[in-house]
Short mmCIF file of all heavy atoms in Angstrom, two decimals:
data_model
loop_
_atom_site.label_atom_id
_atom_site.label_comp_id
_atom_site.label_asym_id
_atom_site.label_seq_id
_atom_site.Cartn_x
_atom_site.Cartn_y
_atom_site.Cartn_z
N PRO A 297 -3.71 -3.47 -17.29
CA PRO A 297 -5.10 -3.37 -17.72
C PRO A 297 -5.47 -1.95 -18.12
O PRO A 297 -4.87 -0.99 -17.64
CB PRO A 297 -5.89 -3.81 -16.48
CG PRO A 297 -4.96 -3.57 -15.33
CD PRO A 297 -3.58 -3.79 -15.86
N GLY A 298 -6.41 -1.86 -19.01
CA GLY A 298 -6.93 -0.56 -19.39
C GLY A 298 -6.09 0.18 -20.40
O GLY A 298 -6.40 1.30 -20.77
N ASN A 299 -5.01 -0.45 -20.84
CA ASN A 299 -4.15 0.24 -21.79
C ASN A 299 -4.49 -0.19 -23.21
O ASN A 299 -4.64 -1.37 -23.47
CB ASN A 299 -2.69 -0.09 -21.47
CG ASN A 299 -1.76 0.83 -22.21
OD1 ASN A 299 -1.62 0.73 -23.43
ND2 ASN A 299 -1.12 1.72 -21.51
N PRO A 300 -4.61 0.75 -24.11
CA PRO A 300 -5.07 0.38 -25.45
C PRO A 300 -4.05 -0.36 -26.31
O PRO A 300 -4.41 -0.91 -27.34
CB PRO A 300 -5.44 1.73 -26.08
CG PRO A 300 -4.69 2.74 -25.31
CD PRO A 300 -4.53 2.19 -23.92
N ILE A 301 -2.77 -0.37 -25.92
CA ILE A 301 -1.78 -1.10 -26.72
C ILE A 301 -1.58 -2.49 -26.15
O ILE A 301 -1.29 -2.66 -24.97
CB ILE A 301 -0.43 -0.34 -26.75
CG1 ILE A 301 -0.59 0.94 -27.56
CG2 ILE A 301 0.66 -1.22 -27.34
CD1 ILE A 301 0.70 1.66 -27.82
N LYS A 302 -1.74 -3.48 -27.00
CA LYS A 302 -1.55 -4.87 -26.58
C LYS A 302 -0.10 -5.26 -26.84
O LYS A 302 0.35 -5.32 -27.98
CB LYS A 302 -2.49 -5.77 -27.37
CG LYS A 302 -2.38 -7.24 -27.03
CD LYS A 302 -3.38 -8.04 -27.84
CE LYS A 302 -3.34 -9.52 -27.49
NZ LYS A 302 -4.36 -10.27 -28.24
N GLY A 303 0.63 -5.51 -25.78
CA GLY A 303 2.03 -5.86 -25.92
C GLY A 303 2.20 -7.22 -26.59
O GLY A 303 1.49 -8.17 -26.28
N THR A 304 3.16 -7.29 -27.49
CA THR A 304 3.41 -8.56 -28.17
C THR A 304 4.74 -8.46 -28.89
O THR A 304 5.29 -7.37 -29.10
CB THR A 304 2.27 -8.89 -29.15
OG1 THR A 304 2.50 -10.18 -29.72
CG2 THR A 304 2.17 -7.87 -30.26
N ASP A 305 5.28 -9.60 -29.26
CA ASP A 305 6.49 -9.67 -30.07
C ASP A 305 7.68 -9.02 -29.38
O ASP A 305 8.21 -7.98 -29.80
CB ASP A 305 6.26 -9.05 -31.46
CG ASP A 305 5.33 -9.89 -32.31
OD1 ASP A 305 4.23 -10.21 -31.82
OD2 ASP A 305 5.69 -10.24 -33.44
N ILE A 306 8.10 -9.68 -28.32
CA ILE A 306 9.23 -9.19 -27.52
C ILE A 306 10.35 -10.22 -27.61
O ILE A 306 10.16 -11.38 -27.28
CB ILE A 306 8.85 -9.02 -26.03
CG1 ILE A 306 7.50 -8.30 -25.87
CG2 ILE A 306 9.96 -8.34 -25.26
CD1 ILE A 306 7.49 -6.86 -26.26
N ARG A 307 11.50 -9.79 -28.05
CA ARG A 307 12.64 -10.70 -28.13
C ARG A 307 13.71 -10.24 -27.14
O ARG A 307 14.14 -9.09 -27.16
CB ARG A 307 13.22 -10.71 -29.55
CG ARG A 307 14.41 -11.64 -29.73
CD ARG A 307 14.94 -11.58 -31.14
NE ARG A 307 14.24 -12.52 -32.01
CZ ARG A 307 14.51 -12.63 -33.32
NH1 ARG A 307 15.42 -11.86 -33.89
NH2 ARG A 307 13.86 -13.50 -34.05
N VAL A 308 14.12 -11.17 -26.29
CA VAL A 308 15.08 -10.88 -25.22
C VAL A 308 16.28 -11.79 -25.44
O VAL A 308 16.20 -13.00 -25.28
CB VAL A 308 14.44 -11.13 -23.84
CG1 VAL A 308 15.44 -10.88 -22.72
CG2 VAL A 308 13.20 -10.25 -23.65
N LYS A 309 17.38 -11.20 -25.83
CA LYS A 309 18.50 -12.01 -26.30
C LYS A 309 19.83 -11.57 -25.68
O LYS A 309 20.14 -10.38 -25.61
CB LYS A 309 18.58 -11.89 -27.83
CG LYS A 309 19.66 -12.74 -28.49
CD LYS A 309 19.56 -12.62 -30.01
CE LYS A 309 20.64 -13.46 -30.69
NZ LYS A 309 20.54 -13.35 -32.17
N ASN A 310 20.60 -12.56 -25.24
CA ASN A 310 21.98 -12.33 -24.80
C ASN A 310 22.12 -11.32 -23.67
O ASN A 310 23.06 -10.53 -23.62
CB ASN A 310 22.86 -11.86 -25.99
CG ASN A 310 22.97 -12.92 -27.07
OD1 ASN A 310 22.47 -14.04 -26.91
ND2 ASN A 310 23.61 -12.57 -28.18
N ASN A 311 21.18 -11.35 -22.76
CA ASN A 311 21.27 -10.48 -21.60
C ASN A 311 21.76 -11.26 -20.39
O ASN A 311 21.58 -12.47 -20.30
CB ASN A 311 19.88 -9.89 -21.29
CG ASN A 311 19.31 -9.10 -22.45
OD1 ASN A 311 19.69 -7.96 -22.70
ND2 ASN A 311 18.41 -9.72 -23.21
N VAL A 312 22.36 -10.54 -19.48
CA VAL A 312 22.78 -11.12 -18.21
C VAL A 312 21.83 -10.62 -17.14
O VAL A 312 21.75 -9.39 -16.88
CB VAL A 312 24.24 -10.74 -17.88
CG1 VAL A 312 24.61 -11.26 -16.48
CG2 VAL A 312 25.17 -11.30 -18.94
N ILE A 313 21.10 -11.54 -16.53
CA ILE A 313 20.05 -11.17 -15.58
C ILE A 313 20.30 -11.96 -14.30
O ILE A 313 19.69 -13.00 -14.04
CB ILE A 313 18.66 -11.46 -16.17
CG1 ILE A 313 18.51 -10.79 -17.55
CG2 ILE A 313 17.56 -10.97 -15.23
CD1 ILE A 313 17.29 -11.22 -18.35
N THR A 314 21.25 -11.49 -13.54
CA THR A 314 21.71 -12.27 -12.39
C THR A 314 21.72 -11.42 -11.13
O THR A 314 21.88 -10.20 -11.18
CB THR A 314 23.15 -12.79 -12.63
OG1 THR A 314 24.01 -11.68 -12.91
CG2 THR A 314 23.19 -13.76 -13.80
N GLY A 315 21.55 -12.10 -10.01
CA GLY A 315 21.72 -11.45 -8.70
C GLY A 315 20.77 -10.29 -8.47
O GLY A 315 21.15 -9.27 -7.88
N ASN A 316 19.56 -10.43 -8.92
CA ASN A 316 18.59 -9.35 -8.71
C ASN A 316 17.84 -9.61 -7.40
O ASN A 316 16.75 -10.17 -7.39
CB ASN A 316 17.63 -9.28 -9.90
CG ASN A 316 18.33 -8.79 -11.15
OD1 ASN A 316 18.69 -7.61 -11.25
ND2 ASN A 316 18.58 -9.69 -12.09
N ASN A 317 18.50 -9.20 -6.32
CA ASN A 317 17.99 -9.53 -4.99
C ASN A 317 17.83 -8.30 -4.10
O ASN A 317 17.81 -8.40 -2.88
CB ASN A 317 18.96 -10.51 -4.31
CG ASN A 317 19.06 -11.80 -5.12
OD1 ASN A 317 18.04 -12.34 -5.57
ND2 ASN A 317 20.28 -12.27 -5.33
N ARG A 318 17.74 -7.16 -4.72
CA ARG A 318 17.58 -5.94 -3.92
C ARG A 318 16.17 -5.90 -3.33
O ARG A 318 15.19 -6.15 -4.04
CB ARG A 318 17.81 -4.71 -4.81
CG ARG A 318 17.82 -3.39 -4.09
CD ARG A 318 18.54 -2.34 -4.90
NE ARG A 318 19.98 -2.59 -4.91
CZ ARG A 318 20.85 -2.00 -4.08
NH1 ARG A 318 20.42 -1.10 -3.22
NH2 ARG A 318 22.13 -2.27 -4.14
N ASN A 319 16.07 -5.60 -2.07
CA ASN A 319 14.74 -5.51 -1.46
C ASN A 319 13.90 -4.47 -2.20
O ASN A 319 14.41 -3.43 -2.62
CB ASN A 319 14.85 -5.15 0.01
CG ASN A 319 15.34 -6.32 0.85
OD1 ASN A 319 15.14 -7.48 0.48
ND2 ASN A 319 16.00 -6.02 1.95
N ASN A 320 12.63 -4.76 -2.33
CA ASN A 320 11.75 -3.88 -3.09
C ASN A 320 11.53 -2.59 -2.32
O ASN A 320 10.96 -2.58 -1.23
CB ASN A 320 10.41 -4.58 -3.33
CG ASN A 320 9.60 -3.91 -4.42
OD1 ASN A 320 9.58 -2.68 -4.52
ND2 ASN A 320 8.94 -4.71 -5.24
N PHE A 321 12.01 -1.50 -2.88
CA PHE A 321 11.86 -0.20 -2.21
C PHE A 321 10.90 0.71 -2.95
O PHE A 321 10.89 1.92 -2.77
CB PHE A 321 13.22 0.48 -2.03
CG PHE A 321 13.97 0.79 -3.32
CD1 PHE A 321 13.93 2.07 -3.87
CD2 PHE A 321 14.71 -0.19 -3.95
CE1 PHE A 321 14.62 2.37 -5.04
CE2 PHE A 321 15.41 0.10 -5.13
CZ PHE A 321 15.36 1.38 -5.67
N ALA A 322 10.05 0.11 -3.79
CA ALA A 322 9.17 0.94 -4.60
C ALA A 322 8.17 1.71 -3.76
O ALA A 322 7.78 2.80 -4.10
CB ALA A 322 8.43 0.08 -5.62
N SER A 323 7.76 1.15 -2.67
CA SER A 323 6.70 1.82 -1.94
C SER A 323 6.64 1.26 -0.54
O SER A 323 6.84 0.07 -0.31
CB SER A 323 5.35 1.59 -2.63
OG SER A 323 4.32 2.07 -1.81
N VAL A 324 6.35 2.12 0.38
CA VAL A 324 6.16 1.65 1.74
C VAL A 324 4.67 1.55 2.07
O VAL A 324 4.30 1.22 3.17
CB VAL A 324 6.83 2.57 2.77
CG1 VAL A 324 8.34 2.56 2.58
CG2 VAL A 324 6.30 3.99 2.66
N GLN A 325 3.85 1.87 1.09
CA GLN A 325 2.42 1.84 1.33
C GLN A 325 1.75 0.90 0.36
O GLN A 325 2.33 0.47 -0.61
CB GLN A 325 1.80 3.23 1.09
CG GLN A 325 2.42 4.32 1.88
CD GLN A 325 1.65 5.59 1.72
OE1 GLN A 325 0.86 5.70 0.80
NE2 GLN A 325 1.85 6.53 2.59
N ALA A 326 0.51 0.62 0.65
CA ALA A 326 -0.27 -0.11 -0.33
C ALA A 326 -0.21 0.65 -1.63
O ALA A 326 -0.31 1.86 -1.66
CB ALA A 326 -1.71 -0.24 0.14
N SER A 327 -0.05 -0.07 -2.70
CA SER A 327 0.14 0.61 -3.97
C SER A 327 -0.30 -0.31 -5.08
O SER A 327 -0.22 -1.52 -5.00
CB SER A 327 1.62 0.95 -4.15
OG SER A 327 1.84 1.35 -5.48
N SER A 328 -0.73 0.30 -6.13
CA SER A 328 -1.09 -0.49 -7.29
C SER A 328 0.06 -0.57 -8.28
O SER A 328 -0.04 -1.20 -9.31
CB SER A 328 -2.30 0.13 -7.98
OG SER A 328 -1.98 1.43 -8.37
N SER A 329 1.14 0.09 -7.95
CA SER A 329 2.29 0.02 -8.83
C SER A 329 2.70 -1.44 -8.99
O SER A 329 2.98 -2.13 -8.02
CB SER A 329 3.44 0.83 -8.24
OG SER A 329 4.64 0.52 -8.90
N THR A 330 2.73 -1.89 -10.22
CA THR A 330 2.93 -3.33 -10.43
C THR A 330 4.29 -3.78 -9.92
O THR A 330 4.41 -4.81 -9.27
CB THR A 330 2.79 -3.64 -11.93
OG1 THR A 330 1.49 -3.22 -12.34
CG2 THR A 330 2.92 -5.12 -12.17
N VAL A 331 5.33 -3.01 -10.18
CA VAL A 331 6.64 -3.50 -9.76
C VAL A 331 6.78 -3.49 -8.24
O VAL A 331 7.62 -4.20 -7.69
CB VAL A 331 7.81 -2.73 -10.41
CG1 VAL A 331 7.75 -2.86 -11.92
CG2 VAL A 331 7.87 -1.31 -9.95
N SER A 332 5.97 -2.70 -7.57
CA SER A 332 6.05 -2.71 -6.11
C SER A 332 5.58 -4.05 -5.55
O SER A 332 5.81 -4.37 -4.40
CB SER A 332 5.22 -1.57 -5.51
OG SER A 332 3.84 -1.86 -5.57
N GLN A 333 4.90 -4.84 -6.39
CA GLN A 333 4.39 -6.13 -5.94
C GLN A 333 5.31 -7.29 -6.31
O GLN A 333 5.02 -8.44 -5.99
CB GLN A 333 3.00 -6.36 -6.56
CG GLN A 333 2.00 -5.28 -6.17
CD GLN A 333 0.64 -5.48 -6.80
OE1 GLN A 333 0.22 -6.59 -7.06
NE2 GLN A 333 -0.06 -4.39 -7.05
N VAL A 334 6.39 -6.99 -6.98
CA VAL A 334 7.28 -8.07 -7.41
C VAL A 334 8.22 -8.42 -6.26
O VAL A 334 8.86 -7.55 -5.68
CB VAL A 334 8.10 -7.64 -8.64
CG1 VAL A 334 9.06 -8.74 -9.05
CG2 VAL A 334 7.17 -7.29 -9.79
#
Side-chain angles (χ1 to χ4, degrees):
Chain A
N299 193 289
I301 291 188
K302 180 179 182 177
T304 184
D305 290 52
I306 314 291
R307 180 181 273 178
V308 178
K309 184 175 179 179
N310 296 355
N311 301 282
V312 175
I313 307 169
T314 56
N316 291 290
N317 299 316
R318 186 159 288 264
N319 286 333
N320 196 322
F321 61 99
S323 171
V324 296
Q325 304 187 344
S327 168
S328 60
S329 166
T330 302
V331 300
S332 76
Q333 301 178 30
V334 178

